[in-house]
C-alpha cells in the first residue's frame, strides 16, 4: 500500500503536543496507524518536544531560572496520548486499531443512518470541539457538493474516492479548509468507507442537504 496524501506538519506537531480535539486526534492516530512516513515524523516531533522540555527543566545553565510555565508544560506532557502501538489490537482489513475503540471490529453492526443519495453515516462519540463520523458512499456515488467553515479531514478506510484530479485510496487523507469546495465521488465498483472529521458545520450548496444539516449534525 502506497499512501500519497499525508498529514501536515501542523497537525503532527499539534498531535505530539496533545492539543488536538478528540475527533482530530482520532483521525491523526488512524492515519498514523496506516502510514510509516507520518509515524516516523511524529516520533521526531515527540523527541524534539521531549528535548526542549528537558532543556527547560534544566534551565539551560545553573544561573537561568526555570521558566514559569515549564512545570505546567511538563505536567501537560504527562497527559499526552499513549504511543499508537501500545495496546495491540487485532488487525482488521477496514478498521485500524484507533477506530476499534469507537466501533469495534464488526462492520455489520455499525448503526448507519441515511444521508441521502445512498450515502450513509455513523457519528462517533467524541468529546470536545469537532465531530467524527464514518461515511459509507456507494460505488460511483458523489457526496453532495459542499464547502467548509473550518477544517475537514477525510481518511479513506475502504475503496477510493476522486476529488477533481486527485485520487484517494486506503490510508490517504484529504485535508480541506475554508477555501475549498468539493464533490468527492466514490471510484470504481467498490463502495467507499471513510472517516471524516470536521471542526465546523459544512456549507452545502443544494437546499435539501442544507435543510437536513441539523438532523445529520454534519
Ligand atoms: Zn502519512
Ligand atoms: Zn468536504
Amino acid at each position: 500500500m502506497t499512501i500519497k496524501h499525508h498529514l501536515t506538519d501542523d497537525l503532527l506537531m499539534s498531535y505530539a503536543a496533545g492539543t488536538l480535539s478528540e475527533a482530530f486526534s482520532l483521525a491523526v492516530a488512524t492515519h498514523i496507524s496506516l502510514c510509516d512516513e507520518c509515524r516516523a515524523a511524529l516520533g521526531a516531533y515527540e523527541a524534539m518536544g521531549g528535548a526542549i522540555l528537558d532543556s527547560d527543566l534544566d534551565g539551560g545553565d545553573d544561573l537561568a531560572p526555570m521558566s514559569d510555565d515549564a512545570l505546567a508544560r511538563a505536567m501537560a506532557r504527562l497527559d499526552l496520548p499513549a504511543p499508537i502501538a501500545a495496546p495491540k489490537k487485532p488487525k482488521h482489513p477496514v478498521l485500524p486499531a484507533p477506530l476499534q475503540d469507537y466501533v469495534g471490529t464488526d462492520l455489520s453492526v455499525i448503526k448507519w443512518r441515511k444521508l441521502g443519495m445512498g450515502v450513509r453515516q455513523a457519528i462517533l462519540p467524541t468529546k470536545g470541539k469537532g465531530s467524527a463520523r464514518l461515511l459509507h458512499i456507494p460505488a460511483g456515488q458523489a457526496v453532495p457538493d459542499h464547502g467548509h467553515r473550518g477544517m475537514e479531514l477525510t481518511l479513506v478506510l475502504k475503496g477510493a474516492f476522486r476529488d477533481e484530479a486527485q485520487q484517494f485510496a486506503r490510508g490517504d487523507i484529504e485535508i480541506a479548509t475554508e477555501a475549498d469546495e468539493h464533490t468527492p465521488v466514490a471510484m470504481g465498483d467498490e463502495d467507499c468507507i471513510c472517516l471524516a472529521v470536521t471542526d465546523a458545520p459544512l456549507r452545502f450548496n443544494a437546499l435539501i442537504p442544507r435543510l437536513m444539516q441539523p438532523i445529520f449534525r454534519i
Side-chain angles (χ1 to χ4, degrees):
M1 175 172 63
T2 314
I3 294 177
K4 289 190 300 241
H5 302 278
H6 297 275
L7 293 163
T8 60
D9 289 334
D10 263 4
L11 281 167
L12 283 167
M13 274 188 269
S14 303
Y15 182 80
T19 57
L20 290 180
S21 67
E22 183 179 354
F24 277 74
S25 293
L26 174 61
V28 170
T30 305
H31 177 82
I32 283 168
S33 73
L34 297 170
C35 178
D36 295 340
E37 202 175 313
C38 288
R39 197 180 316 119
L42 175 70
Y45 286 130
E46 284 180 340
M48 210 181 339
I52 291 167
L53 187 72
D54 287 346
S55 66
D56 276 355
L57 288 178
D58 292 345
D61 62 58
D62 291 336
L63 295 172
M66 189 167 131
S67 67
D68 286 337
D69 60 352
L71 183 61
R73 279 183 288 130
M75 296 309 285
R77 261 194 88 75
L78 299 178
D79 291 333
L80 280 180
I84 312 302
K88 269 280 175 221
K89 293 213 173 62
K91 271 212 188 284
H92 188 278
V94 176
L95 299 165
L99 267 176
Q100 292 176 19
D101 290 337
Y102 292 81
V103 291
T105 53
D106 187 354
L107 279 173
S108 68
V109 302
I110 293 177
K111 290 200 178 67
W112 296 102
R113 303 257 183 261
K114 288 179 184 159
L115 263 183
M117 308 212 298
V119 180
R120 294 180 291 163
Q121 71 166 352
I123 294 178
L124 306 181
T126 53
K127 288 191 215 70
K129 196 167 153 44
S131 70
R133 70 198 66 224
L134 293 179
L135 288 176
H136 185 286
I137 312 162
Q141 182 61 55
V143 173
D145 175 29
H146 65 270
H148 311 87
R149 291 190 176 88
M151 185 180 275
E152 176 191 61
L153 305 180
T154 309
L155 173 67
V156 179
L157 300 168
K158 178 177 179 287
F161 72 84
R162 170 167 45 79
D163 190 356
E164 307 269 320
Q166 294 192 306
Q167 298 184 358
F168 298 82
R170 178 168 165 84
D172 282 327
I173 194 158
E174 179 177 40
I175 301 173
T177 63
E178 279 174 76
D180 301 309
E181 196 158 304
H182 63 172
T183 312
V185 182
M187 287 171 61
D189 48 16
E190 191 182 2
D191 291 355
C192 182
I193 297 180
C194 301
L195 169 66
V197 171
T198 49
D199 59 6
L202 302 179
R203 280 188 291 110
F204 286 100
N205 295 319
L207 180 64
I208 301 292
R210 218 155 59 214
L211 291 175
M212 300 305 280
Q213 270 192 286
I215 298 165
F216 295 150
R217 294 198 279 149
I218 196 165

